[in-house]
Amino acid sequence: MEFRHLRCFTVLAEELHFGRAAQRLAMTQPPLSMAIQQLEADVGARLFERNSRGVALTPAGLAFLPRAQALLEQAALAAREARDVGQGLAGQLQIGFAGTVLYRGLPQVLREFAAAHPKLRLALRELSSSEQLVELVHDRLDLGFVHTTRVPAGFSQILVSSQPFMACLPASHPLAKKRKLPLQALKEESFAIVMRVVSPDYHDRILAACADAGFEPALGFELRHWLSVVSVIAQGLGVGLVPAALQQAGLPGVVFLPLEQPLAPYDTHCLWRTGRDQSALGAFLAAVQRAAAPA
C-alpha cells in the first residue's frame, strides 16, 4: 500500500468524480483509475461503486476513508517534524549553566530563542564550570555557560558577558558606607568564597588578589554557589569578593562596593564542541552571539 494511492483515494472520495479528482491531483484519469484499482487489490475490497450515474463509496470505502486520512495526516506531521529538526526548528538542546548566568546573559538569550523557536525544547542543568567541562567533554551537554579560562582542546567559545568583582559586606559593617574600598581594608575579615573544586579559576584569583594586597584571607566559609556566598555575608558571617551581577539577586542585608584597584573581570563564556553537527545548536548559538558582550 503506497501513500500516493491513499492520496488518490481520499481526493476521489471527496470529489466523487474521476475528472475533478484527476485535475486536483495533476494527473490524467487513466493513472488515477489504475491507482484506485491497485489500492483496492491491496486492501482486498472494492472501495468505489462505478456506474453511469457517477462514483460512490462502498461500505468498505466509507470505513476505510477516515483511516486513510489519518495515515496521510500522520505522514505529513512526521515529515514536518523531521524537516523542523533538520532546519533547527525543533528538537532538544542540553544546556549547562553556572548560577550567576541567571543574572547576566542567559535570560535574554532564552527569551529571544523561545519566541523564535517554540518547538525547540531547552533542557537546562545548573552545574559548576568544572562539572560542565566534564559533561561537555563526554557529550552529555550540547553547550555550557561557564566561568573559566580552562577551555579543552576542540571546543569553541563566545564571550557572553564581562563584569567586575565587587566587595560584598554586611550592611551593618563599619566599611559599608564607603564609596570605594581598598582590598587591604578586609585583611582582618573572615571571607566567604566559592570552593576551589567548583570554580578553581576564581577561587585562585581571589586568593592571589588578597596576596597582592599583602594578606592571606581567613576562609570562614567555602561554598558551592556564589548566591550562598552572598547569603552568608547577609547574615553578618563574613565578607567576600563577588561578581557584580549578584547585586541583581536582591538579597537584603548586604552592600556591594567597587574596589579601588579593580580585579580582572569575571567573564562568562558559552562553550561548545567545535564542528558539532546540529542545526538546533547553530540556531541557539546565533541567539547567544546577538546577546553577547561587544568584542
Side-chain angles (χ1 to χ4, degrees), residues 157-203:
Q157 59 183 311
I158 297 171
L159 176 62
V160 177
S161 68
S162 187
Q163 56 185 299
F165 275 97
M166 302 186 77
C168 182
L169 282 67
S172 59
H173 196 282
L175 298 174
K177 296 189 183 299
K178 291 278 190 180
R179 293 185 62 186
K180 285 189 175 182
L181 195 68
L183 183 52
Q184 189 180 25
L186 302 178
K187 66 180 181 179
E188 303 298 331
E189 303 287 346
S190 174
F191 272 66
I193 190 172
V194 289
M195 299 168 64
R196 191 177 192 282
V197 69
V198 171
S199 186
D201 293 69
Y202 293 101
H203 182 99

Side-chain angles (χ1 to χ4, degrees), residues 85-104:
V85 170
Q87 295 175 352
L89 302 176
Q92 177 174 287
L93 287 175
Q94 295 285 339
I95 299 171
F97 70 98
T100 52
V101 185
L102 292 174
Y103 304 107
R104 187 69 62 89

Side-chain angles (χ1 to χ4, degrees), residues 189-266:
E189 303 287 346
S190 174
F191 272 66
I193 190 172
V194 289
M195 299 168 64
R196 191 177 192 282
V197 69
V198 171
S199 186
D201 293 69
Y202 293 101
H203 182 99
D204 292 349
R205 184 182 296 182
I206 290 170
L207 295 186
C210 292
D212 290 343
F215 69 97
E216 181 179 346
L219 303 182
F221 289 88
E222 296 189 59
L223 304 158
R224 290 191 57 82
H225 301 284
W226 284 109
L227 200 57
S228 300
V229 171
V230 178
S231 297
V232 163
I233 295 169
Q235 299 301 316
L237 299 175
V239 301
L241 301 176
V242 304
L246 286 168
Q247 295 175 92
Q248 299 175 37
L251 287 178
V254 292
V255 295
F256 298 86
L257 303 176
L259 295 167
E260 283 188 357
Q261 297 295 325
L263 305 187
Y266 183 81

Side-chain angles (χ1 to χ4, degrees), residues 18 22 47 61 85 113 122 154 156 203 210 233 252 257 271 292 295:
F18 272 91
L47 302 175
V85 170
F113 191 77
L122 305 179
S156 300
H203 182 99
C210 292
I233 295 169
L257 303 176
L271 196 64

